[in-house]
Amino acid sequence: MACSPHNAVRAMHQCAYDNFDKIHDRNMGIMARDTILSSFYVDDFLGSCSTVEGAITLASNIDNILTAGCFKLRKWNSNSATVLTQMGRDSSPTEYSIDAALTSVLGLLWSPVDDNLLFNVELKQPDGICTKRSVLSEVAKLFDPTGFLSPVAVVGSNSLVRRY
């Protein structure tokens, strides 16, 4: 059904509201709830922490809240082997990727070793004259959910269009 993604996200949000009080420290529960509400993109979670200890605590709290609502998290990845090792002891995920060369995150490529987001861009050589339409067609093919490429794509498309 067309409404299925919305219903899944809505159910997960309700789970966050209903179960954040399962975390013993109220402030940590609120932080985990707010992270669930703001950092899940349908079924992918993407978050960042400034310390290894903070990442372990946040991931554990998120897992506890979602497990209370029967949402079983299956995959984790991190640029820290310490975080993944600790998650393997304390939570329910069944698949871990430690130091994978590249992994997919929200349709982008992520290198956990370097902690870099990568974009795969394949531009075709135009058949003949480079037109505004052909440039905009190529720019529109870029998948950029985070908006990182927007400044480059807009400037690039404007400068290419003016050249012809």
Side-chain angles (χ1 to χ4, degrees):
M1 293 181 69
C3 62
S4 294
H6 169 75
N7 290 340
V9 171
R10 178 65 182 96
M12 189 173 55
H13 284 189
Q14 191 62 48
C15 174
Y17 284 117
D18 292 346
N19 297 311
F20 79 94
D21 58 352
K22 305 262 190 238
I23 306 302
H24 298 295
D25 181 343
R26 181 165 171 77
N27 290 332
M28 295 300 251
I30 291 171
M31 186 170 88
R33 177 199 65 198
D34 292 347
T35 303
I36 291 169
L37 296 175
S38 65
S39 297
F40 267 94
Y41 304 91
V42 184
D43 62 348
D44 288 337
F45 172 80
L46 182 62
S48 177
C49 292
S50 56
T51 65
V52 169
E53 296 79 19
I56 292 168
T57 302
L58 182 61
S60 178
N61 289 341
I62 288 170
D63 185 52
N64 290 337
I65 289 170
L66 294 177
T67 299
C70 297
F71 285 91
K72 184 169 175 65
L73 299 176
R74 296 182 306 122
K75 297 178 185 178
W76 288 95
N77 202 343
S78 175
N79 62 345
S80 168
T82 306
V83 172
L84 291 175
T85 303
Q86 187 65 38
M87 288 304 302
R89 285 190 220 124
D90 293 344
S91 64
S92 66
T94 57
E95 184 178 324
Y96 301 89
S97 298
I98 298 176
D99 295 333
L102 288 176
T103 188
S104 178
V105 176
L106 300 177
L108 304 176
L109 296 175
W110 176 52
S111 171
V113 176
D114 303 333
D115 198 19
N116 289 320
L117 286 174
L118 307 168
F119 294 88
N120 186 15
V121 179
E122 296 178 19
L123 297 175
K124 297 184 303 183
Q125 288 290 3
D127 300 332
I129 299 172
C130 182
T131 64
K132 185 180 199 178
R133 182 181 199 145
S134 65
V135 170
L136 293 176
S137 174
E138 291 298 319
V139 170
K141 292 177 186 174
L142 296 174
F143 180 68
D144 183 22
T146 57
F148 290 139
L149 290 181
S150 294
V152 176
V154 170
V155 169
S157 67
N158 285 339
S159 64
L160 288 174
V161 170
R162 290 183 188 148
R163 240 191 317 165
Y164 77 93

